[in-house]
Amino acid sequence: MSHTILINGSSLPVIIRKHPRSRRMIIRYQPLQHHVSLTLPRYTSIRQGLHFVEEKRAWLADQITEKAQPVPLADGQIIPVLGNDYTLRHIGGRGVVSIDGDRILIPGDESFMKRRILEWLKRQARTEITRLATAKAEQINKPLKRISLRDTSTRWGSCSHDGNLSFSWRLIFAPYEVLEYVVGHEVAHIKHHNHSAAFWATVGEICPDYEKCRHWLKIYGSKLYSYN
Ligand SMILES: [Zn+2]
């Protein structure tokens, strides 16, 4: 019988083993297999074990976010930006960060490279998200209010009760249609402040392929936190 736990909206298999010499329950997140392993002492029931896993849900969520393989924003590193791969190149000298073919050129002192690329990425994210949100709000005839960017680990986007939108700038590392879906999702909340069938119909209007994107976020969303 297979067991699963829902973490950050993603369903993870729980692999249970009995260990005769184990004195307590042991839970581990296994990043390569992307599952949770649970070791049980001989006289602990599976039901007790699963209850224990449920109690550790928040801790597991942290583990998953932390263990996504880190990708340093350093010279030579390849990173996805709005769905295309670019190689980061530190070039020294003066000037502004720029794109040259499939490279992102970062001038200035090497010790400032990370800060400069982060600033640049956030600016690109803001520009693209604003452009997308404006277009999608027009599609559903709703006025757009303030847009802010965040680096929160819990949500990719949100819509306040008075219609202000906020997004994680890290969506810039996601496939383009995933970014488009998150923007569409929050714009649709300007019209429907819930997740009703009417809300999803509006999302479908402005992001026809949204199911695929929701799925991507559930499975790979934590990866967007690995670029640092
Ligand atoms: Zn929502």
Side-chain angles (χ1 to χ4, degrees), residues 131-147:
R131 201 184 65 76
L132 280 170
T134 306
K136 293 193 184 295
E138 256 171 38
Q139 262 182 282
I140 59 166
N141 272 316
K142 285 283 171 187
L144 196 60
K145 293 194 182 167
R146 205 161 60 85
I147 295 180

Side-chain angles (χ1 to χ4, degrees), residues 185 189 195 199:
H185 182 120
H189 275 315
H195 291 114
F199 163 79

Side-chain angles (χ1 to χ4, degrees), residues 155 157-159 181 185-186 189 192 194-195 199-200 203:
R155 309 173 84 173
S158 66
C159 176
Y181 155 65
H185 182 120
E186 300 312 331
H189 275 315
H192 309 279
N194 50 46
H195 291 114
F199 163 79
W200 287 112
V203 175

Side-chain angles (χ1 to χ4, degrees), residues 36-52:
V36 174
S37 69
L38 171 67
T39 305
L40 298 178
R42 184 186 300 190
Y43 298 110
T44 303
S45 71
I46 287 176
R47 203 166 139 236
Q48 282 173 299
L50 290 173
H51 186 72
F52 187 53

Side-chain angles (χ1 to χ4, degrees), residues 2-224:
S2 65
H3 304 277
T4 56
I5 181 173
L6 201 65
I7 295 175
N8 294 337
S10 165
S11 177
L12 255 68
V14 179
I15 309 297
I16 303 172
R17 284 183 317 168
K18 284 258 181 187
H19 198 290
R21 285 185 311 277
S22 181
R23 315 251 335 233
R24 57 191 180 89
M25 293 187 266
I26 300 166
I27 295 180
R28 288 216 173 88
Y29 166 62
Q30 309 289 355
L32 288 178
Q33 299 89 345
H34 194 52
H35 72 219
V36 174
S37 69
L38 171 67
T39 305
L40 298 178
R42 184 186 300 190
Y43 298 110
T44 303
S45 71
I46 287 176
R47 203 166 139 236
Q48 282 173 299
L50 290 173
H51 186 72
F52 187 53
V53 173
E54 287 293 337
E55 280 179 353
K56 296 282 181 187
R57 186 201 296 267
W59 176 82
L60 280 166
D62 285 349
Q63 297 281 303
I64 291 166
T65 308
E66 270 172 30
K67 285 192 178 166
Q69 201 73 282
V71 178
L73 296 173
D75 186 47
Q77 186 68 61
I78 296 171
I79 61 165
V81 177
L82 301 173
N84 296 307
D85 282 347
Y86 295 93
T87 305
L88 299 179
R89 279 291 169 218
H90 173 245
I91 55 166
R94 287 162 181 266
V96 292
V97 176
S98 62
I99 288 186
D100 173 36
D102 58 359
R103 301 184 303 164
I104 297 173
L105 307 178
I106 305 127
D109 197 273
E110 182 134 35
S111 56
F112 294 120
M113 181 182 160
K114 188 177 142 183
R115 200 169 81 192
R116 296 201 74 179
I117 187 68
L118 281 174
E119 280 169 2
W120 184 84
L121 287 166
K122 287 177 192 181
R123 241 181 2 255
Q124 303 299 309
R126 176 179 292 281
T127 305
E128 196 55 30
I129 286 170
T130 305
R131 201 184 65 76
L132 280 170
T134 306
K136 293 193 184 295
E138 256 171 38
Q139 262 182 282
I140 59 166
N141 272 316
K142 285 283 171 187
L144 196 60
K145 293 194 182 167
R146 205 161 60 85
I147 295 180
S148 52
L149 256 66
R150 303 235 159 91
D151 196 359
T152 52
S153 59
T154 49
R155 309 173 84 173
W156 299 116
S158 66
C159 176
S160 72
H161 59 91
D162 45 4
N164 293 318
L165 306 184
S166 103
F167 297 94
S168 166
W169 68 269
R170 290 183 169 278
L171 288 163
I172 195 162
F173 300 122
Y176 191 77
E177 58 266 39
V178 172
L179 166 69
E180 213 179 341
Y181 155 65
V182 176
V183 173
H185 182 120
E186 300 312 331
V187 167
H189 275 315
I190 302 174
K191 195 168 171 183
H192 309 279
H193 293 274
N194 50 46
H195 291 114
S196 59
F199 163 79
W200 287 112
T202 301
V203 175
E205 240 173 78
I206 52 182
C207 305
D209 262 353
Y210 74 89
E211 288 287 4
K212 194 175 82 181
C213 299
R214 286 182 81 192
H215 185 71
W216 189 96
L217 277 173
K218 283 177 186 172
I219 307 292
Y220 302 110
S222 64
K223 270 194 182 174
L224 305 183

